[in-house]
Amino acid sequence: MRHLYEDAAFAPDWPDSHWVQGKALPELPPATGGLRADVAVIGAGYAGLNAALVLARDHGRSVVVLDAAQPGWGASGRNGGFCCLGGAKLSAAAIRRRTGDAGLTAWQRFERAAIDHVAGLLDAHAIDARQGPEGEALLAHSPAAFRALERQAAPGARLIPGGALAEHGLAGPGFHGAALASQGFPLDPMAYLLGLLAAAQAAGVRVAGQSPVTALVPAPGGWRLRLPAGEVTAAQVLVATNGYADETLPGWIGGRILPVLSTILVTRPLTAAERAAGFASPLMSYDTRELLHYFRHLPDGRFLFGMRGGISAAPAAMAATHARARARFRALFPAWAGVAVERQWSGLACLTGSLAPYVGPVPGAEGLFAAFGWHGNGVAAGSYGGAQVARLMAGAAADLPALVRQPPRRLPLPRLRRAGLALAYRLYGLTDGPLPPDPGPA
Ligand SMILES: Cc1cc2nc3c(=O)[nH]c(=O)nc-3n(C[C@H](O)[C@H](O)[C@H](O)COP(=O)(O)OP(=O)(O)OC[C@H]3O[C@@H](n4cnc5c(N)ncnc54)[C@H](O)[C@@H]3O)c2cc1C
């Protein structure tokens, strides 16, 4: 197996997220012996399980899903739970230049449809995962960033100048105004994942844990997937491994993806008085920094704070990244500098060489498909992308805007991706500017 990051990020003892606490997690046995299916899906996250559900339920396909660990062990079980717009790291102007006015409209419709898709799944399968009100707050990290929000805010967004943030519960030393949007909602990522898994299994999908695919080879009429204790033969294969991808499965994916670390901390429950003394808004929130911070209150009073960054998954480097996350949390939310952080964890999201997701066939490989590259916003986009690639695989009409149908470019000098990332993070740090001072742990 070939990964961009150290083995620690893929090992069973990589720290679990807050979301597994108190939940009965299935320990699905490995796939053994020789299995046959119409479709094999590699990766049991939102993309893979959504695809499997649609293929089995709507198109009558026999489907086997294989995960190297367990369903939701990747980013789908360890994210911030922002079910929101996003999926590409391109401005509207850049998407328009690449795909024209119609392409931009189609992409924006895809983003909204993705949120509706997840909401529909929660309703249809009675999945109790919603965690708060609809809408989100985008906080300007500088006066200049607020002026940019005023110029570029999405249609329908409501602008809140810096002086009015407090009356909306959005005040903080690092915030200079906000744009409020009405789309999206927060959810418990693992509750959604487990409900989705149950729905797929009820539709007849076979899901195997502890089943890393070690090789993918063309076979008569399809593909053979090698596993440590068996083999699966399938006419079609979907690669849905995103930031956890083995870069040789298939080789085409290697060098086209840039997995990136994201880190989250969760505090102990805040008292009502503590919450009122700080950032009290119930909205999912994030800031305008290139190296963005994202944060929200959880229903049990805990506060979740996340950030991108870090270029090594080695234990010492992760400890330093986690310390940096705590320092940034204290700097942006000084009212809670003394509140204990109960849990911290990290995971891998995925960028692509074209800064947009890819959903479609793997070029030159009959029967092989891929869906990946949600740019840190895969709760909605990854779910909907998975459902749409399933329709494509079944020969049905799929809602796939031009942006996600263009195979991503190879990144220049793929072996130097982490060095490039380190440089980019340093530059972003400079353009983002300094944070408010860290008051230190009280
Ligand atoms: C810390 C963090 C916070 C995030 N917060 C948000 C957020 O708030 N909102 C949002 O929209 N997005 C967020 N994201 C991104 C989002 O979680 C992902 O985009 C999304 O979950 C990706 O889903 P996926 O199904 O494509 O991949 P994943 O959920 O990563 O699943 C990939 C699976 O593939 C398996 N796998 C890999 N290789 C093999 C192999 N060879 N054989 C078998 N299985 C294999 C892995 O074990 C893994 O389970 C966050 C990501 C991280 C890391």
Side-chain angles (χ1 to χ4, degrees):
M1 286 202 162
R2 204 171 75 213
H3 295 123
L4 187 61
Y5 291 88
E6 293 81 359
D7 288 347
F10 307 88
D13 60 352
W14 181 247
D16 273 334
S17 75
H18 169 71
W19 310 115
V20 303
Q21 305 303 307
K23 293 193 177 73
L25 299 179
E27 279 290 321
L28 300 179
T32 54
L35 296 178
R36 281 190 171 275
D38 296 328
V39 182
V41 176
I42 311 178
Y46 300 141
L49 289 174
N50 266 282
L53 173 62
V54 170
L55 282 159
R57 182 195 61 197
D58 302 347
H59 301 285
R61 301 291 200 273
S62 65
V63 186
V64 173
V65 180
L66 304 158
D67 200 281
Q70 288 290 331
W73 191 87
S76 298
R78 53 179 71 241
N79 62 71
F82 288 49
C83 181
C84 56
L85 301 176
K89 196 166 168 40
L90 291 167
S91 65
I95 296 173
R96 186 183 286 115
R97 274 197 299 279
R98 199 179 283 180
T99 63
D101 282 336
L104 174 61
T105 304
W107 166 250
Q108 290 172 334
R109 202 190 53 231
F110 178 95
E111 288 182 282
R112 288 191 301 273
I115 293 171
D116 294 343
H117 170 77
V118 176
L121 278 174
L122 300 187
D123 290 346
H125 299 285
I127 303 171
D128 183 14
R130 280 183 184 259
Q131 288 199 313
E134 302 213 332
E136 62 180 20
L138 172 56
L139 289 140
H141 72 283
S142 66
F146 184 62
R147 287 194 292 277
L149 279 185
E150 287 180 310
R151 287 193 302 275
Q152 300 157 7
R158 183 168 161 214
L159 288 162
I160 314 284
L165 285 177
E167 67 198 66
H168 295 270
L170 295 164
F175 308 136
H176 300 265
L180 306 186
S182 57
Q183 300 92 343
F185 60 91
L187 52 67
D188 175 332
M190 199 52 152
Y192 164 39
L193 188 287
L194 293 176
L196 175 64
L197 171 66
Q201 288 174 313
V205 174
R206 289 169 283 171
V207 186
Q210 309 303 342
S211 299
V213 176
T214 54
L216 181 59
V217 286
W223 294 86
R224 186 165 298 140
L225 292 81
R226 300 226 166 89
L227 300 165
E231 201 170 79
V232 177
T233 311
Q236 291 180 313
V237 175
L238 172 65
V239 179
T241 49
N242 206 46
Y244 290 81
D246 175 337
E247 305 226 349
T248 66
L249 284 176
W252 173 82
I253 219 170
R256 288 188 162 76
I257 55 168
L258 177 55
V260 292
L261 286 159
S262 196
T263 287
I264 294 180
L265 64 79
V266 165
T267 68
R268 68 151 166 78
L270 302 172
T271 64
E274 283 172 334
R275 177 166 175 168
F279 184 95
S281 170
L283 291 178
M284 312 184 283
S285 305
Y286 60 109
D287 67 19
T288 48
R289 289 179 171 82
E290 281 290 342
L291 278 177
L292 70 87
H293 305 103
Y294 48 98
F295 33 92
R296 64 184 179 94
H297 289 278
L298 304 185
D300 63 4
R302 293 180 164 83
F303 189 69
L304 176 152
F305 174 83
M307 64 163 219
R308 307 256 172 87
I311 55 152
S312 167
M318 283 319 308
T321 299
H322 286 189
R324 204 164 60 245
R326 290 193 299 276
R328 285 172 170 249
F329 163 66
R330 291 190 302 262
L332 289 169
F333 302 97
W336 304 326
V339 172
V341 168
E342 281 191 346
R343 190 167 281 271
Q344 273 189 279
W345 69 93
S346 301
L348 290 165
C350 184
L351 279 52
T352 70
S354 53
L355 300 179
Y358 180 64
V359 183
V362 172
E366 180 74 27
L368 187 57
F369 293 78
F372 62 94
W374 320 114
H375 294 81
N377 281 110
V379 174
S383 298
Y384 193 56
Q388 296 310 314
V389 78
R391 294 179 60 78
L392 188 71
M393 292 170 79
D399 176 13
L400 292 173
L403 187 70
V404 308
R405 283 191 271 117
Q406 298 173 344
R409 289 187 297 123
R410 256 176 95 73
L411 287 137
L413 304 172
R415 282 174 191 279
L416 299 181
R417 277 173 290 173
R418 283 209 297 182
L421 200 54
L423 187 63
Y425 285 168
R426 206 157 297 157
L427 291 175
Y428 288 155
L430 292 175
T431 50
D432 285 345
L435 260 71
D438 170 13

